[in-house]
Amino acid sequence: YMIINIASKKGVQKMTNMILRSPFFTALILFSMVLFNASALAVDIQFSAEVEEIYSDNITLVPNDEAKSDFVTRIAPSVQLDYLANSAEVTAEYTYEILRYASETDFNTEYQQLDALGGIDVIGKTLRMQGQAAYTQVNVDPRAPAQTSNIAVGGNRTDASTWQLGPRFQQEMFGADVGAFYDYGRVEYDNPESQDIESNRYGASISNAEITSSRTTYALVWNYWKLDYEVSDEVADQTLYLQLRTELSDEISVFVLGGADSDLFDRNESSLSETRWEVGFDYTGFDNYFSASFGDRYFGSVYRVSAGRQVSDWNYGLSYSEEPGTTESFFLGEQAAPEAGEPPPDAGLD
């Protein structure tokens, strides 16, 4: 697509009026004002906007012989709020996305997106309340053409509001770092045919990776996630594993992981009935890294491999993984190399 930064005065004024009438924008500004009055030095508010001219050769996601092409003007102003204090922090970003089609003007529309994350200390850093909320657009039917953005008008898009809230416990005890969390959340869809979801997540962990000088570390992790749908049966996912890692040198470490999963293919069973294991190694040199692992879980084999080189603030890398889905990635950018020693990510119900 082609990015432009030209707009008529009349058009900009109309867009601005639409944004100011948005309830999400108004709520965010009012919240910003309250925080700003409470602690002027702790609040950072940034405004930005994206203006793009996009060409699509199939805006309705239909077979090629029925496709319609069009130019789409996308204007997306946003406001980001960051509040930081000794015992609390809030980050929120709101975007108002405006789409205008050159020929198919009946498709002209606006969307809103919100992403917020916050936390507050209850008892120092030992016990915290943490929450997050999001408002975005998602696909309705996985069998229909998947829309990767709001530009296409395939009729498979709906608004979704997501939020979760819960306590976090973290404390060093008996020579180990002990943690636990609980999250309650909901996902609500604007489409009446989609089932809203109630979510309960529990977790606990014991690890010495952050507090020991030993070359051998361990991490014992348990996670449980239950999703309760409006109509369909509830689904639960549970995993428990122990990871042991040993540093063979300052650059090379090896790990072995063993545990058990629930069988997600059996929706009526959430016990730890399926074994899991994984072995791998990490190499982290002065300016390059390489890691690889192989294992097995209830859905089949698990492969992970990644390699990269870091020069100053730039990181170049390749990665490949096979879990429930296969992904490949190449990145070139200002990113930090991954740190060795962290337990591998789990494939849950996302």
Side-chain angles (χ1 to χ4, degrees), residues 255-324:
F255 76 87
V256 58
L257 180 151
D261 288 326
S262 58
D263 185 357
L264 195 57
F265 296 124
D266 185 355
R267 297 169 62 102
N268 298 318
E269 180 60 52
S270 62
S271 63
L272 295 169
S273 58
E274 303 293 320
T275 59
R276 63 175 294 185
W277 61 269
E278 189 170 355
V279 294
F281 74 93
D282 294 311
Y283 167 79
T284 305
F286 176 72
D287 57 3
N288 53 73
Y289 62 90
F290 180 80
S291 65
S293 65
F294 169 75
D296 185 77
R297 297 185 66 179
Y298 66 91
F299 46 77
S301 299
V302 175
Y303 305 88
R304 297 189 185 98
V305 61
S306 64
R309 180 179 176 85
Q310 188 165 359
V311 179
S312 186
D313 292 330
W314 286 85
N315 189 27
Y316 312 82
L318 291 167
S319 67
Y320 177 85
S321 67
E322 279 190 11
E323 294 172 293

Side-chain angles (χ1 to χ4, degrees), residues 43-290:
V43 178
D44 181 27
I45 303 176
Q46 299 181 9
F47 294 90
S48 61
E50 295 180 1
V51 182
E52 300 172 282
E53 189 66 22
I54 303 166
Y55 173 77
S56 172
D57 61 358
N58 190 347
I59 60 172
T60 52
L61 298 179
V62 295
N64 291 337
D65 57 348
E66 304 174 16
K68 294 181 180 180
S69 62
D70 205 348
F71 283 92
V72 186
T73 301
R74 177 180 179 272
I75 303 176
S78 64
V79 56
Q80 179 174 328
L81 177 146
D82 294 295
Y83 169 76
L84 179 63
N86 291 331
S87 60
E89 66 278 342
V90 176
T91 297
E93 182 175 8
Y94 169 78
T95 301
Y96 193 79
E97 185 179 46
I98 304 161
L99 302 177
R100 293 294 179 262
Y101 296 77
S103 300
E104 305 294 332
T105 56
D106 289 342
F107 294 148
N108 291 348
T109 189
E110 298 84 35
Y111 294 98
Q112 301 179 75
Q113 292 104 33
L114 176 67
D115 191 10
L117 174 68
I120 185 170
D121 296 344
V122 179
I123 305 176
K125 300 299 181 182
T126 300
L127 182 63
R128 290 173 51 84
M129 288 295 293
Q130 184 169 305
Q132 63 184 61
Y135 186 87
T136 187
Q137 288 74 50
V138 299
N139 290 323
V140 176
D141 189 346
R143 299 166 296 182
Q147 296 181 222
T148 57
S149 72
N150 291 327
I151 302 300
V153 286
N156 193 32
R157 209 70 162 163
T158 188
D159 293 327
S161 59
T162 305
W163 63 267
Q164 66 181 41
L165 178 68
R168 298 284 189 278
F169 172 83
Q170 199 78 28
Q171 180 68 38
E172 184 177 334
M173 302 170 62
F174 309 110
D177 191 9
V178 179
F181 75 89
Y182 168 71
D183 279 328
Y184 174 81
R186 285 191 59 84
V187 182
E188 298 181 355
Y189 300 98
D190 187 58
N191 188 308
E193 297 181 1
S194 300
Q195 298 186 58
D196 294 342
I197 306 170
E198 182 179 276
S199 168
N200 287 272
R201 299 184 69 174
Y202 311 81
S205 63
I206 303 174
S207 173
N208 70 340
E210 299 295 328
I211 61 176
T212 183
S213 58
S214 172
R215 286 186 173 271
T216 300
T217 59
Y218 69 87
L220 179 63
V221 179
W222 171 74
N223 285 310
Y224 181 85
W225 189 5
K226 185 179 74 172
L227 299 177
D228 189 6
Y229 295 85
E230 279 187 306
V231 179
S232 303
D233 295 335
E234 66 180 32
V235 176
D237 180 35
Q238 185 176 193
T239 187
L240 173 69
Y241 64 85
L242 172 66
Q243 176 181 273
L244 300 176
R245 178 179 294 273
T246 297
E247 295 181 3
L248 302 181
S249 68
D250 292 339
E251 295 83 16
I252 301 175
S253 65
V254 296
F255 76 87
V256 58
L257 180 151
D261 288 326
S262 58
D263 185 357
L264 195 57
F265 296 124
D266 185 355
R267 297 169 62 102
N268 298 318
E269 180 60 52
S270 62
S271 63
L272 295 169
S273 58
E274 303 293 320
T275 59
R276 63 175 294 185
W277 61 269
E278 189 170 355
V279 294
F281 74 93
D282 294 311
Y283 167 79
T284 305
F286 176 72
D287 57 3
N288 53 73
Y289 62 90
F290 180 80

